[in-house]
Amino acid sequence: MSEQTVSYRGYQVTVPADWPVVDLAKDPTACVRYDRPAVYLGTSTAQADCPAHLVGRSRGLVLEPLTKAPRSTDGELQRGIEDAGVLATAYYAPGGATAARQVLDTGRVTTKTSRLAQPKATAATPTVVATGSLLGGFAFDTCAAPSQSAMDAWLYPNSGYKAVGIYISGNVRGCAQPNLTPSWVSTNAAKGWQFLLIDVGLQAPCGPYSAEKKMSADPATARAQGRTAAANAVSSAQALGFAQRSAIYSDIEAYTSTASCKAAVLSYLSGWTLELNTRGYVGGAYVGAASGGVDLSSAYNDTAYTRPDNLWFARWNMVTNTTDDRYIPAAYWTNRQRVHQYQGDHDETHGGVKINIDSNAVNLTAPPAPVTGFDAVGQYSTATLRWTVPTGTQLGQVIVRRNTGTTPPPLPNVGTSVYAGTGSSFTATGLANATSYAFRAWVKDSSGKIGPGVDTVLVGTGSTIAASVPSVSYGGAVTLYTRATRKDNGASLTGVPLSLYARAKNSSTWREVARVTSDGTGQASSVQKPTVSTVYAWGYNGSTDLLGSRSGNATIEVRPTITANLAPAAIKLGATTTFYGYLRPQHPGTTVYLQRLTGPNWPTVATSKLNSTGNYGFSIKPTARGNHYYRVVWLADADHATTVSATKSVAVS
């Protein structure tokens, strides 16, 4: 393949010989077209003479002064050459990134006299909603965003147009956009212009384009391609300053439909709409009325697809409304969701400026603004959610849904329903211990439109419990230990109040018995003297953005104190001695068991009831000489564990 070397401002690059070179300084109205190979030099401030509508992408190169930070997007690869002060943009068709990179790799600086520092990328603050509200008005669209002087010349009422359609993204977008910058958007928004945002991505598999410009015929793959295109479109929209609630339209040009082609297009637009909605934007589709319009209408109520929120249909019948179309039922997309392109490529002149445009009738409103101040305060197993509905919202309801984990539901029909009503707070119950929850809230206005979701995450926490001993004697002490952590990253909860809860073993009622501030490792402890067998649990009671938690249970058995005395300890055969003592706590009227060691066993030889002061006594008369061993046992009740006295011996001579 023959080649040529192109020079611009001390920078040289090698390109195919058949690429024409267009000098915009000499031809300032030339259209920088991406649908044909070329090399464009410089930047024109004049109104470009572009056709209204171009779809398709070839490969070529734009060399211009380095006045903005490079930003590569799908279909455009940019490099800043500081030593020459040049911004090089290689444009390419889908799948052509490698070839575009190879062209840029041939570049070299021959003269360093024009060195410019590469500008720093500045992030636009997305504040402009496209299109906010245009009821029964008109819009024009054109391939390249007009110059500022052209926009001023066409400003309503100089023309009948209040909105402009601009091509913000897409890997088969046909025109360069030298004018389309964040400042262009903010300037024209301040002057009253509204915007229709267009992405020209992959086309129908049965459309009239080369294979690399078409979406997959496999519905699942097409759906994924639609989601990817939407993510890229949102990135481009935000870089220009377009905020959530803006509608972005996927441009699907006319095609001759078949069953498989229809399935691919509907799947692509389903993925497109789903991804935009997930990110808080409105999913729109630009289609030919007789192709995409028919296919979308036929699947309007088909739950297998996510239909676009807004429909922009092309039917060049010169009927300047959005409803009179024989291909699209009037009962569909009725909630101010339509744009009708009623006239195709034609020239119009306003304020002395001629532009080749398409003309559109518009009937649109934006979805409602999101709630503000959405937050969650966690307790144990519950969370209090609060939000504020923006002033002036014609409220239908606030919808709140949740997922376990830290990823919220993407759409208001996904996840677990938490709330749907007109209040400003709600307590969610039944939340699982040691589990994180992600909540998303949407505003649905009185017309049924749903705004962007707003998220809050309630991070789960965990509390442990350990005891110094499993049981204590009555009056004894046990130390209960804990450590509290976050479930998302395992970090300790330091300097927070941790509560120790207790209930009697035979009770279901918990009470707080201690509150201790955790140390620098998230640990705390408390010394307790239970009087009855007691179940303990540590807990963190929650806070803003942290869900409370409870540890497992630790049961501390309390053994009553039982004394044992034998007097006298030595007797003659046939004489008696007394085995006596007391139980604390007293448990009057309960039974104690006198046991004698016989071989390896301790059979019971007598029983007695504790008196009103908890005392007992047994008269012992052994029947054989030698040493005899006795003890007393009190059996567990609901409050206390079994306890056994010390062993006492009597010597019989």
Side-chain angles (χ1 to χ4, degrees):
M1 180 180 68
S2 58
E3 297 177 332
Q4 62 175 323
T5 299
V6 178
S7 297
Y8 177 72
R9 293 170 60 99
Y11 177 70
Q12 285 186 352
V13 64
T14 301
V15 300
D18 60 353
W19 287 11
V21 179
V22 180
D23 188 340
L24 296 175
K26 297 178 180 178
D27 188 1
T29 63
C31 181
V32 179
R33 297 179 57 156
Y34 282 178
D35 65 330
R36 58 182 60 168
V39 179
Y40 297 92
L41 305 179
T43 302
S44 173
T45 57
Q47 175 58 39
D49 185 16
C50 291
H53 199 80
L54 281 180
V55 174
R57 185 68 65 90
S58 182
R59 66 189 188 105
L61 191 65
V62 180
L63 302 177
E64 59 186 309
L66 182 60
T67 58
K68 58 186 177 181
R71 180 178 180 270
S72 296
T73 59
D74 194 15
E76 292 180 323
L77 184 62
Q78 290 191 334
R79 288 183 185 174
I81 298 91
E82 294 186 5
D83 285 342
V86 171
L87 176 65
T89 303
Y91 59 87
Y92 57 91
T98 298
R101 188 173 293 105
Q102 290 171 345
V103 168
L104 291 178
D105 287 344
T106 68
R108 64 188 185 93
V109 176
T110 59
T111 305
K112 296 184 179 181
T113 57
S114 303
R115 191 181 195 283
L116 290 176
Q118 182 169 294
K120 293 183 179 179
T122 55
T125 301
T127 57
V128 179
V129 176
T131 294
S133 180
L134 194 57
L135 311 179
F138 296 92
F140 75 93
D141 62 272
T142 187
C143 189
S147 65
Q148 189 57 57
S149 59
M151 292 296 291
D152 292 342
W154 280 49
L155 186 64
Y156 186 87
N158 294 343
S159 74
Y161 300 109
K162 294 183 178 181
V164 56
I166 51 177
Y167 292 83
I168 66 166
S169 59
N171 55 9
V172 293
R173 180 177 63 175
C175 283
Q177 299 293 342
N179 297 317
L180 190 54
T181 63
S183 62
W184 184 92
V185 170
S186 60
T187 296
N188 287 299
K191 293 183 177 185
W193 282 104
Q194 297 197 55
F195 308 90
L196 300 175
L197 311 184
I198 310 165
D199 174 275
V200 190
L202 298 173
Q203 297 299 300
C206 53
Y209 298 97
S210 56
E212 73 275 5
K213 300 179 179 68
K214 296 179 180 180
M215 67 188 69
S216 173
D218 174 64
T221 303
R223 188 182 298 267
Q225 290 172 327
R227 296 197 71 154
T228 298
N232 291 334
V234 168
S235 178
S236 295
Q238 291 177 338
L240 290 168
F242 291 108
Q244 289 182 324
R245 303 166 60 216
S246 296
I248 309 177
Y249 296 84
S250 177
D251 182 338
I252 306 292
E253 292 295 308
Y255 56 91
T256 302
S257 189
T258 63
S260 62
C261 188
K262 171 183 173 180
V265 170
L266 294 181
S267 296
Y268 181 92
L269 291 175
S270 290
W272 166 267
T273 303
L274 176 63
E275 189 67 27
L276 285 174
N277 290 171
T278 298
R279 295 169 181 262
Y281 287 75
V282 176
Y286 170 91
V287 294
S291 55
V294 170
D295 284 348
L296 284 168
S297 297
S298 70
Y300 187 84
N301 294 309
D302 189 341
T303 57
Y305 302 105
T306 301
R307 69 169 175 261
D309 304 298
N310 291 358
L311 183 65
W312 183 353
F313 59 94
R315 186 165 180 240
W316 297 345
N317 57 4
M318 299 302 292
V319 176
T320 58
N321 65 34
T322 61
T323 56
D324 184 14
D325 190 87
R326 64 189 179 92
Y327 295 108
I328 301 166
Y332 296 164
W333 292 282
T334 60
N335 193 12
R336 302 198 184 281
Q337 298 168 276
R338 289 191 177 209
V339 182
H340 174 201
Q341 189 177 87
Y342 60 83
Q343 185 178 7
D345 296 14
H346 65 284
D347 291 337
E348 287 191 22
T349 301
H350 302 283
V353 176
K354 182 179 73 172
I355 308 176
N356 188 260
I357 65 168
D358 300 323
S359 296
N360 308 272
V362 183
N363 187 10
L364 296 173
T365 56
V371 299
T372 59
F374 185 43
D375 205 2
V377 177
Q379 299 91 40
Y380 171 57
S381 78
T382 66
T384 299
L385 304 168
R386 293 185 175 87
W387 58 83
T388 300
V389 176
T391 302
T393 301
Q394 299 298 312
L395 182 62
Q397 60 181 200
V398 174
I399 301 168
V400 181
R401 300 182 78 87
R402 65 169 170 83
N403 276 345
T404 56
T406 57
T407 301
L411 299 170
N413 60 351
V414 178
T416 300
S417 176
V418 175
Y419 176 78
T422 58
S424 58
S425 65
F426 184 73
T427 298
T429 60
L431 304 182
N433 190 38
T435 302
S436 296
Y437 290 92
F439 299 86
R440 180 169 285 185
W442 296 265
V443 174
K444 183 177 182 179
D445 67 19
S446 57
S447 76
K449 287 191 173 183
I450 297 176
V454 178
D455 307 334
T456 188
V457 174
L458 201 57
V459 175
T461 62
S463 304
T464 63
I465 188 167
S468 58
V469 291
S471 62
V472 296
S473 296
Y474 180 74
V478 61
T479 303
L480 286 308
Y481 303 94
T482 189
R483 181 170 181 259
T485 56
R486 295 170 60 110
K487 300 305 291 185
D488 57 347
N489 57 18
S492 298
L493 297 180
T494 62
V496 300
L498 302 177
S499 295
L500 181 64
Y501 295 93
R503 63 173 175 84
K505 185 179 177 181
N506 66 339
S507 171
S508 60
T509 301
W510 291 92
R511 69 188 191 284
E512 186 183 52
V513 295
R515 184 171 294 187
V516 184
T517 300
S518 62
D519 64 15
T521 63
Q523 299 183 78
S525 63
S526 175
V527 177
Q528 296 292 310
K529 290 186 175 182
T531 58
V532 298
S533 294
T534 301
V535 181
Y536 291 97
W538 279 101
Y540 172 62
N541 292 324
S543 62
T544 301
D545 300 329
L546 289 177
L547 186 63
S549 59
R550 292 291 184 270
S551 70
N553 295 340
T555 300
I556 306 302
E557 300 286 353
V558 176
R559 302 181 306 275
T561 299
I562 190 167
T563 62
N565 301 282
L566 187 64
I571 61 174
K572 298 291 185 179
L573 183 64
T576 62
T577 185
T578 303
F579 195 111
Y580 64 95
Y582 61 83
L583 185 77
R584 295 292 183 272
Q586 295 172 347
H587 290 79
T590 60
T591 301
V592 289
Y593 299 84
L594 178 66
Q595 296 179 342
R596 183 178 63 199
L597 181 61
T598 303
N601 301 315
W602 288 91
T604 298
V605 295
T607 62
S608 178
K609 299 289 187 181
L610 296 174
N611 65 17
S612 61
T613 60
N615 294 343
Y616 69 88
F618 293 96
S619 179
I620 297 174
K621 186 178 181 180
T623 59
R625 291 181 174 86
N627 290 323
H628 300 270
Y629 299 91
Y630 295 88
R631 71 183 186 185
V632 170
V633 176
W634 181 86
L635 298 180
D637 66 2
D639 294 322
H640 295 93
T642 295
T643 187
V644 180
S645 74
T647 299
K648 297 295 181 178
S649 66
V650 57
V652 180
S653 59

